[in-house]
């Protein structure tokens, strides 16, 4: 839905389904009901997640794309953003670090993303702006330093190839298309410094050379193409887990010439530790239900002096706690997307304030048009936090809307 120049939606990765028929069935089930609640008299924008399998099926099944276009017209809906991060299965199976596979060193990631852009170009209203979020190059624990450098170079060339593809695709259809890299804890790009360094040291130098040769662009035009077509997806939860201040991060990106393509509105789980052994043991008991087996829940713990300790998953962090003494850390932030409309869950809390700070910054400086609520963990939340999916989505969208 359009609010004060922003396009606000939710990410359909909340709905299970890896095939196109399953995805379409969920859209038909949920979108009309949600639209009636939040945008009854105006068009409603969809944030679509398609697996590689679903993208192939939607492209190749006779009449499938036309059927989707006709249905959206009937429902007064349109698509303006895709989630192109998870390539394979995302529900009902162990995902964990495999969400990064294939990474941006693999041609399959480029093929998948180009296919998504072909679909987006067909679904996006004429003259509209469309973006696709994607992985932060790779998962950092898969590579040693030398391998990481090689991968960053390969990724820069594939991203430049995609930028050139989008440059030509946008010219043909008059649409503003961009890829939005999504930093994540333990990704090869996981924080503001990583992103700025990657643009400066890899994407701009290697990518601009590729575009000069491929499209015969000048250096200035090649760099502008990269900055316009390869943007950033600022996931509030991810940067909050890294203990980054939204205003400082967004100002630094802006100063470095890195454009924001999409803000994903999400909240992380936050826990206070270090009071006494009994308190910490109670916190461990409360956290145990969140240590589920499907998704990665990275933890960044900060002590009273500002030092940080990282854990690849919540279960690793819980195992580090001693049952006989207090935690070394003062505060844990966990990559577990919790409902954005709650700041506290009994003795537990969320990083909701980072969302409010981000929205406040966006009211002062319009960095992008696309806002997407992304709470995909409803089916793995502890039972006392679960609610009916449609009602949860509506409540989250209405909560964000009041701050826009």
């Amino acid at each position: 839905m359009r609010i004060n120049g922003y396009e606000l939606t939710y990410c359909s990765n909340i709905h299970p389904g890896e095939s196109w028929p399953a995805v379409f069935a969920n859209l038909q089930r949920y979108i009309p009901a949600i639209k009636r609640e939040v945008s009854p008299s105006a068009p409603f924008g969809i944030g679509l997640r398609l697996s590689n399998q679903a993208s192939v099926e939607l492209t190749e099944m006779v009449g499938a794309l036309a059927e989707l276009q006709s249905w959206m017209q009937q429902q007064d809906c349109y698509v303006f953003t895709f989630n192109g991060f998870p390539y394979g299965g995302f529900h009902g199976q162990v995902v964990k670090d495999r969400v990064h596979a294939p990474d941006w060193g693999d041609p399959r990631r480029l093929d998948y993303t180009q296919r998504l852009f072909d679909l987006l170009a067909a679904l996006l209203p004429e003259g509209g702006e469309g973006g696709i979020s994607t992985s932060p190059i790779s998962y950092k624990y898969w590579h040693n330093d030398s391998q990481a450098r090689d991968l960053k170079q390969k990724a820069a060339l594939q991203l430049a190839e995609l930028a050139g593809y989008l440059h030509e695709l946008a010219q043909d259809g008059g649409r503003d298309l961009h890829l939005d890299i999504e930093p994540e804890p333990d990704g090869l790009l996981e924080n503001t410094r990583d992103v700025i360094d990657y643009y400066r040291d890899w994407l701009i130098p290697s990518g601009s050379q590729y575009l000069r040769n491929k499209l015969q662009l000048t250096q200035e035009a090649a760099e502008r193409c990269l900055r316009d077509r390869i943007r950033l997806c600022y996931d509030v939860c991810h940067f909050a887990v890294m203990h980054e201040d939204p205003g400082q991060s967004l100002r630094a990106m802006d100063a470095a010439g890195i454009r924001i393509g999409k803000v994903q509105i999400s909240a992380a789980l936050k826990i206070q530790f270090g009071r006494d052994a009994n308190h910490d043991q109670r916190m461990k008991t409360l956290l145990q239900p969140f240590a589920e087996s499907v998704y990665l829940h990275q933890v960044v713990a900060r002590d009273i002096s500002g030092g940080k300790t990282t854990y690849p998953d919540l279960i690793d962090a819980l195992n580090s706690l001693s049952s006989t003494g207090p935690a070394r850390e003062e505060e844990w932030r966990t990559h577990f997307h919790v409902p954005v409309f709650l700041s506290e869950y009994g003795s537990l809390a969320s990083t909701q304030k980072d969302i409010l700070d981000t929205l406040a910054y966006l009211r002062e400086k319009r960095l992008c048009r696309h806002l997407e609520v992304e709470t995909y963990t409803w089916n793995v939340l502890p039972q006392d936090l679960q609610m009916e999916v449609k009602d949860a989505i509506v409540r989250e969208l209405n909560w964000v809307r009041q701050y826009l």
Side-chain angles (χ1 to χ4, degrees):
M1 51 188 166
R2 298 185 175 107
I3 306 170
N4 294 333
Y6 288 105
E7 296 191 78
L8 171 65
T9 190
Y10 77 98
C11 183
S12 71
N13 66 355
I14 188 174
H15 306 306
E18 306 308 324
S19 69
W20 170 244
V23 171
F24 193 31
N26 277 322
L27 295 180
Q28 293 171 305
R29 176 182 178 184
Y30 288 105
I31 294 296
I34 292 167
K35 183 181 184 300
R36 283 195 297 271
E37 296 275 352
V38 300
S39 186
S41 58
F44 180 76
I46 298 172
L48 189 58
R49 185 259 160 170
L50 296 179
S51 68
N52 179 66
Q53 175 190 343
S55 72
V56 171
E57 292 171 348
L58 180 55
T59 301
E60 297 182 353
M61 289 172 61
V62 176
L65 183 57
E67 182 183 21
L68 174 60
Q69 291 169 318
S70 175
W71 177 80
M72 288 198 306
Q73 185 175 19
Q74 294 170 11
Q75 300 299 326
D76 196 19
C77 293
Y78 62 101
V79 173
F80 67 89
T81 186
F82 278 28
N83 183 339
F85 192 149
Y87 175 98
F90 196 64
H91 289 278
Q93 59 188 282
V94 176
V95 179
K96 297 295 183 181
D97 61 330
R98 302 311 300 172
V99 73
H100 293 272
D103 63 25
W104 270 101
D106 190 322
R108 291 177 297 169
R109 173 63 66 171
L110 176 61
D111 292 343
Y112 165 58
T113 307
Q114 286 181 334
R115 189 182 309 112
L116 291 181
F117 271 111
D118 289 340
L119 291 168
L120 180 57
L123 297 170
L124 189 67
E126 185 175 355
E129 177 185 337
I132 296 176
S133 49
T134 191
S135 94
I137 309 302
S138 188
Y139 184 62
K140 71 179 183 181
Y141 292 123
W142 291 347
H143 316 282
N144 61 34
D145 289 346
S146 176
Q147 291 167 337
R149 288 193 295 271
D150 289 344
L151 177 58
K152 287 177 181 179
Q153 173 67 8
K154 289 179 183 178
L157 295 176
Q158 290 216 112
L159 290 168
E161 183 176 347
L162 180 69
Y165 186 78
L166 297 182
H167 176 75
E168 295 179 336
L169 190 61
Q171 286 183 328
D172 290 341
R175 295 169 175 84
D176 183 8
L177 301 172
H178 46 83
L179 182 74
D180 307 324
I181 298 174
E182 183 181 336
E184 174 175 298
D186 293 340
L188 207 57
L189 307 182
E190 64 176 349
N191 56 38
T192 304
R193 184 76 264 159
D194 286 348
V195 173
I196 293 173
D197 289 349
Y198 186 70
Y199 270 74
R200 183 194 63 212
D201 297 337
W202 300 96
L203 181 61
I204 299 302
S206 297
S208 59
Q209 181 178 352
Y210 173 90
L211 289 174
R212 290 200 313 270
N213 296 334
K214 180 73 173 180
L215 300 181
Q216 305 302 307
L217 298 178
T218 65
Q219 174 63 31
E220 180 182 3
E223 182 171 335
R224 184 169 63 250
C225 177
L226 286 166
R227 294 188 182 278
D228 286 346
R229 302 303 168 196
I230 310 298
R231 304 187 193 179
L232 188 81
C233 173
Y234 188 91
D235 187 301
V236 181
C237 167
H238 296 174
F239 282 85
V241 171
M242 301 304 296
H243 297 265
E244 294 209 39
D245 176 81
Q248 292 178 6
S249 176
L250 292 168
R251 277 191 294 272
M253 301 285 191
D254 194 28
I258 298 169
R259 299 184 64 179
I260 307 298
K262 174 165 68 176
V263 171
Q264 282 186 326
I265 299 170
S266 53
L269 192 62
K270 183 172 69 173
I271 313 97
Q272 298 294 325
F273 273 107
R275 299 177 186 176
D276 58 62
N278 290 333
H279 173 268
D280 287 354
Q281 191 59 36
R282 287 197 301 274
M283 291 297 101
K284 182 176 181 179
T285 300
L286 289 172
L287 280 174
Q288 199 69 51
F290 290 89
E292 53 82 28
S293 61
V294 175
Y295 303 112
L296 267 183
H297 301 297
Q298 305 92 318
V299 175
V300 179
R302 187 174 61 184
D303 62 33
I304 196 167
S305 65
K308 296 176 184 176
T309 304
T310 63
Y311 302 93
D313 208 348
L314 178 57
I315 191 64
D316 303 305
L318 291 174
N319 288 339
S320 75
L321 281 179
S322 167
S323 61
T324 58
R328 299 187 307 275
E329 301 89 2
E330 180 185 34
E331 180 180 280
W332 286 10
R333 294 188 178 188
T334 304
H335 179 210
F336 197 118
H337 288 227
V338 291
V340 302
F341 48 75
L342 295 175
S343 60
E344 294 182 345
Y345 317 90
S347 299
L348 303 176
S350 84
T351 58
Q352 186 194 76
K353 183 178 182 300
D354 289 67
I355 298 176
L356 298 177
D357 290 346
T358 300
L359 294 176
Y361 188 88
L362 292 177
R363 286 197 298 272
E364 295 178 12
K365 191 173 179 70
R366 187 176 298 273
L367 298 177
C368 68
R369 290 179 58 191
H370 295 171
L371 306 178
E372 181 181 54
V373 176
E374 194 198 22
T375 307
Y376 58 81
T377 53
W378 286 100
N379 63 332
V380 294
L381 278 169
Q383 193 65 38
D384 61 337
L385 288 178
Q386 292 190 16
M387 59 188 300
E388 202 279 323
V389 169
K390 188 268 289 184
D391 294 338
I393 294 167
V394 168
R395 186 172 176 183
E396 292 203 303
L397 290 173
N398 283 333
W399 182 86
V400 175
R401 177 160 56 182
Q402 69 181 311
Y403 294 101
L404 294 176

